[in-house]
Amino acid sequence: MSSVLIKNESRLGLKLVAPAVGIIGLLVIYPILFNIYLSFFDVQLNGTKTFVGMENYTDLLGNPRYFHSIGVSVIYLIGTVVGTTVLGLAAAILMNQEFRFRNLARGLILLPYFAPVISVVFGWQFIFDPVNGIYNHVVVDVLHLTDTRENLIGNPDSALFVVILFDIWKHFPIAYLLFLAKLQSVPKDLYEAAAIDGQNAWGRFWHVTLPELRFVIATVVLLRIIWNLNRFEDVYLLAPNVETLPIFTYYQAFAGIVDQGVAAAISVIQLLVLVGLIWLYVRKVLKW
Amino acid sequence: MMNKRSTTQSVILYTLVLALVIFCVFPFLQILSTSLKHPIDWGNPSLIPRVLHLDAYKELLGLMPPKEADVPASVQRLLDNPALSAEKKQMLLDKFSSGGDVFPFGRYMLNTFVISFVTGICSTFLASLAAYAIARLRFPAQSLMANGVLFVYMVGGVLLMVPLYQMSVNVGLASSATGTIFSLFLIYLIQTLPVAMYMLGNYFRTIPFSLEEAAMMDGCSRVEAFWRIIMPLSKPMLFTVFIYCFVIAWNEYLFASVFLKQYQDFQTLPLALQTLFTSKNAIWDRIMAASMLTLLPVVICFMLANKHLSGGLTDGGVKG
């Protein structure tokens, strides 16, 4: 290609990416930097700022609520990452079998992932509603496990588990899709060879399926951690009393005694963790 | 596959599939069922309503006849008095009716639709330009941008809410309704742009380059080749990406709650539903009917886009 063509091409390329990259730069890159700047100030909702140095950070490190929310986030992350991965894998193996109505079943199990959070949380709240909910009906009236109807979502400790279950329900389909795509490309003769070697179903899973899926499993786990570290809506809308890190940040920034500087400081720390994870993802997983 | 299954194996397989499907679908059935139940029927654990009760839907969609005011007999006599002017009668009636109680569902739906639609169109358009450049053209800093896009996408709204809010306050956008909506639109744009770019970039790469080459030999410029060849060929994928962006905006709660709290007329459905739920007690039928109506457009969209979507989603870093 002549140099004029190359020059034209790169000029056109820059022109085409300019709007998108400009907007992303202005509204993502700049805010990230601005956030670091804000974390050294006392910031009010109306925009008033007073410089406080490292005070936001020292306050944060002396705040038991902060460490509590980290603890809640860790439990949430472990529960949801393990749950979605295991259920996603199980669902993928199941849906990879041949049976009647398979397409229908495949479509139906994607529903939770597609549905808007705001609508499905109400369904979940109704299920666990202490007065009308089916959960209390089954536990108390049918199985007689306890005598009293409990408000599982009202109590932050039990609500954490409802929130984890909800997240697994909502997000295992995406893990399932990733696993299924990979499963379909596992060569059948691998299974046949293992069968000839006398492996039963469990052995075939252990010696063929798992090693073949190793890479996808790592991808799913990493992606779940990245997305769930920032997960706000699914938790807040279902049980605002479960204080994971993003929800703690939200309360600091927009509710009660507003302290946006502290919220900025939390975000900065969280961003550092996230950047590490994303770096891992981009380097190890992504082929753009 | 290991060919023939024994009966036991079949039974186990179908039981597991059924259990999984029920687990996935049950909350939806619960929503549908409760939206159709009369309040006295809520405690009934069966999913089938004893009587079909459509009032919640009628009310939300504005099909309910204006409520008959509950007027005491003494006042009714006053109203029947022909000497009283019509204006006075109306004033009296207003005192006894609960007109301010209506939840303007249609308005919220329209708000949400408009902002989601505009976001979807703009995002898909800008992303298609950028994705084409990244997939096909060579220019400085290309791979940096390609990697940067997803990196940026994963940063997530929670980490940006404080600086973005402060920026809009500093620029003065947060002080007017128009400015607020514009800020929100820009925010939805950045929440959808990176993933749209990623999905489209992967798709453009699957189109053989020879098609553009042929067009350019026929005298098309690069830009014309893009418009006349690539874009029409990508229609199904563009539609899928549009739907995906539309749904992200349709579902968004965090920034809507931060920016629109004091502009009640411009609230979107997620925010309005949450407010409705927390402000009033025991209106399950209306909440569930509203959920159903919020859910439906999304499910329809995804059914339309499903074919390409499943492929697009498995390609990688899609939000979820």
Side-chain angles (χ1 to χ4, degrees):
Chain A
M1 243 195 290
S2 78
S3 65
V4 180
L5 278 180
I6 291 176
K7 215 170 163 192
N8 278 346
E9 185 173 319
S10 72
R11 197 177 299 152
L12 178 64
L14 287 174
K15 236 187 263 173
L16 290 180
V17 291
V21 170
I23 290 174
I24 289 172
L26 180 70
L27 292 170
V28 180
I29 307 296
Y30 175 73
I32 288 176
L33 302 174
F34 188 46
N35 195 42
I36 299 174
Y37 171 82
L38 284 176
S39 71
F40 298 111
F41 286 80
D42 178 54
V43 187
Q44 294 306 311
L45 267 181
N46 60 14
T48 338
K49 293 185 270 290
T50 8
F51 183 74
V52 293
M54 294 299 287
E55 202 181 293
N56 287 329
Y57 289 95
T58 49
D59 276 2
L60 204 55
L61 296 177
N63 185 349
R65 236 178 112 190
Y66 177 59
F67 292 100
H68 178 254
S69 73
I70 291 179
V72 174
S73 270
V74 168
I75 300 175
Y76 177 71
L77 278 177
I78 294 174
T80 54
V81 170
V82 172
T84 38
T85 310
V86 170
L87 188 59
L89 184 55
I93 292 171
L94 202 57
M95 292 296 157
N96 202 29
Q97 314 293 319
E98 271 166 52
F99 55 89
R100 280 210 292 165
F101 306 117
R102 182 167 76 168
N103 285 337
L104 178 68
R106 279 184 177 179
L108 284 176
I109 67 171
L110 293 180
L111 272 181
Y113 175 70
F114 289 157
V117 184
I118 187 71
S119 357
V120 288
V121 286
F122 296 125
W124 277 71
Q125 289 192 329
F126 189 82
I127 290 172
F128 291 102
D129 183 65
V131 182
N132 302 310
I134 185 102
Y135 168 80
N136 274 302
H137 172 76
V138 170
V139 169
V140 179
D141 299 339
V142 179
L143 300 175
H144 301 289
L145 294 178
T146 56
D147 294 337
T148 48
R149 291 177 161 252
E150 271 169 71
N151 188 353
L152 239 52
I153 292 180
N155 171 358
D157 292 331
S158 50
L160 175 58
F161 293 97
V162 178
V163 165
I164 289 173
L165 187 64
F166 175 70
D167 182 86
I168 295 172
W169 175 80
K170 185 107 181 60
H171 296 286
F172 91 87
I174 188 73
Y176 147 80
L177 280 178
L178 289 163
F179 287 134
L180 186 64
K182 179 67 195 168
L183 272 183
Q184 286 168 336
S185 72
V186 175
K188 291 210 167 53
D189 31 332
L190 282 179
Y191 287 103
E192 276 155 27
I196 293 166
D197 285 349
Q199 300 281 4
N200 59 12
W202 178 249
R204 288 196 298 270
F205 169 76
W206 202 248
H207 294 289
V208 180
T209 313
L210 268 190
E212 284 290 317
L213 289 181
R214 209 176 38 206
F215 182 69
V216 189
I217 293 174
T219 309
V220 168
V221 168
L222 200 53
L223 275 177
R224 298 311 323 143
I225 298 176
I226 290 175
W227 288 123
N228 276 1
L229 191 64
N230 292 328
R231 175 108 25 231
F232 173 79
E233 284 157 29
D234 303 47
V235 181
Y236 180 79
L237 292 176
L238 182 59
N241 52 1
V242 176
E243 224 170 77
T244 57
L245 212 45
I247 289 168
F248 176 63
T249 317
Y250 181 77
Y251 285 146
Q252 292 293 317
F254 295 104
I257 306 161
V258 168
D259 203 336
Q260 297 212 317
V262 171
I266 306 171
S267 305
V268 170
I269 298 174
Q270 202 178 327
L271 186 74
L272 288 178
V273 177
L274 192 71
V275 165
L277 290 168
I278 300 178
W279 182 81
L280 205 63
Y281 178 72
V282 173
R283 289 306 296 270
K284 298 279 174 194
V285 176
L286 204 63
K287 285 159 283 164
W288 163 268
Chain B
M1 282 297 106
M2 302 297 126
N3 290 334
K4 284 284 165 208
R5 270 190 296 263
S6 68
T7 325
T8 340
Q9 278 173 326
S10 286
V11 170
I12 294 175
L13 177 67
Y14 280 98
T15 316
L16 287 175
V17 170
L18 196 65
L20 185 65
V21 169
I22 289 177
F23 173 66
C24 291
V25 174
F26 184 76
F28 295 98
L29 297 177
Q30 183 74 72
I31 295 171
L32 181 65
S33 140
T34 313
S35 73
L36 295 172
K37 276 181 178 174
H38 191 275
I40 51 163
D41 209 9
W42 289 344
N44 169 15
S46 159
L47 284 176
I48 299 158
R50 274 192 279 253
V51 229
L52 213 55
H53 168 84
L54 293 170
D55 284 9
Y57 286 97
K58 284 187 193 152
E59 196 182 318
L60 289 175
L61 297 174
L63 300 174
M64 206 64 163
K67 234 184 224 160
E68 280 292 317
D70 195 10
V71 185
S74 57
V75 181
Q76 189 59 50
R77 250 177 316 202
L78 256 174
L79 284 171
D80 291 339
N81 183 351
L84 206 66
S85 76
E87 204 181 311
K88 284 248 174 73
K89 278 182 189 169
Q90 195 52 52
M91 269 171 58
L92 265 175
L93 262 177
D94 285 348
K95 277 190 188 156
F96 292 95
S97 62
S98 47
D101 217 29
V102 180
F103 180 71
F105 185 80
R107 155 137 224 162
Y108 294 138
M109 198 151 194
L110 187 68
N111 290 344
T112 320
F113 181 82
V114 169
I115 195 162
S116 309
F117 190 82
V118 176
T119 302
I121 294 284
C122 293
S123 195
T124 310
F125 175 69
L126 292 178
S128 64
L129 301 184
Y132 179 75
I134 289 176
R136 278 285 207 271
L137 304 174
R138 264 160 302 170
F139 57 91
Q142 180 182 15
S143 70
L144 175 75
M145 281 179 194
N147 287 323
V149 163
L150 261 184
F151 199 88
V152 153
Y153 180 54
M154 289 182 173
V155 166
V158 177
L159 299 180
L160 298 176
M161 67 186 171
V162 171
L164 283 174
Y165 181 78
Q166 287 293 331
M167 278 164 72
S168 80
V169 169
N170 288 346
V171 179
L173 281 175
S175 55
S176 71
T178 355
T180 306
I181 292 162
F182 185 65
S183 317
L184 203 59
F185 161 68
L186 286 179
I187 288 168
Y188 287 178
L189 208 54
I190 53 155
Q191 297 214 313
T192 50
L193 254 182
V195 74
M197 282 170 71
Y198 184 67
M199 286 167 91
L200 282 171
N202 280 343
Y203 186 79
F204 288 154
R205 254 176 282 244
T206 65
I207 300 174
F209 183 62
S210 52
L211 288 174
E212 284 151 276
E213 226 166 18
M216 286 192 282
M217 297 232 183
D218 286 348
C220 279
S221 70
R222 192 84 200 223
V223 179
E224 280 171 333
F226 171 64
W227 269 122
R228 301 227 180 116
I229 310 291
I230 301 293
M231 287 300 257
L233 270 177
S234 311
K235 257 187 209 152
M237 194 59 189
L238 288 169
F239 175 70
T240 306
V241 170
F242 166 76
I243 296 280
Y244 199 75
C245 298
F246 178 91
V247 169
I248 290 178
W250 181 271
N251 292 345
E252 209 280 337
Y253 173 84
L254 176 61
F255 283 100
S257 87
V258 169
F259 281 89
L260 293 177
K261 205 144 241 172
Q262 71 259 41
Y263 300 107
Q264 205 156 14
D265 284 349
F266 299 101
Q267 289 189 350
T268 55
L269 272 177
L271 183 57
L273 279 186
Q274 176 68 3
T275 319
L276 176 71
F277 183 71
T278 47
S279 62
K280 294 177 190 175
N281 281 323
I283 39 160
W284 286 112
D285 55 343
R286 274 196 282 167
I287 280 284
M288 295 299 182
S291 297
M292 228 35 229
L293 294 174
T294 312
L295 197 84
L296 223 52
V298 176
V299 172
I300 292 172
C301 280
F302 273 118
M303 279 197 299
L304 292 176
N306 189 15
K307 210 178 119 215
H308 290 270
L309 200 68
S310 298
L313 288 176
T314 47
D315 281 343
V318 166
K319 183 170 192 169

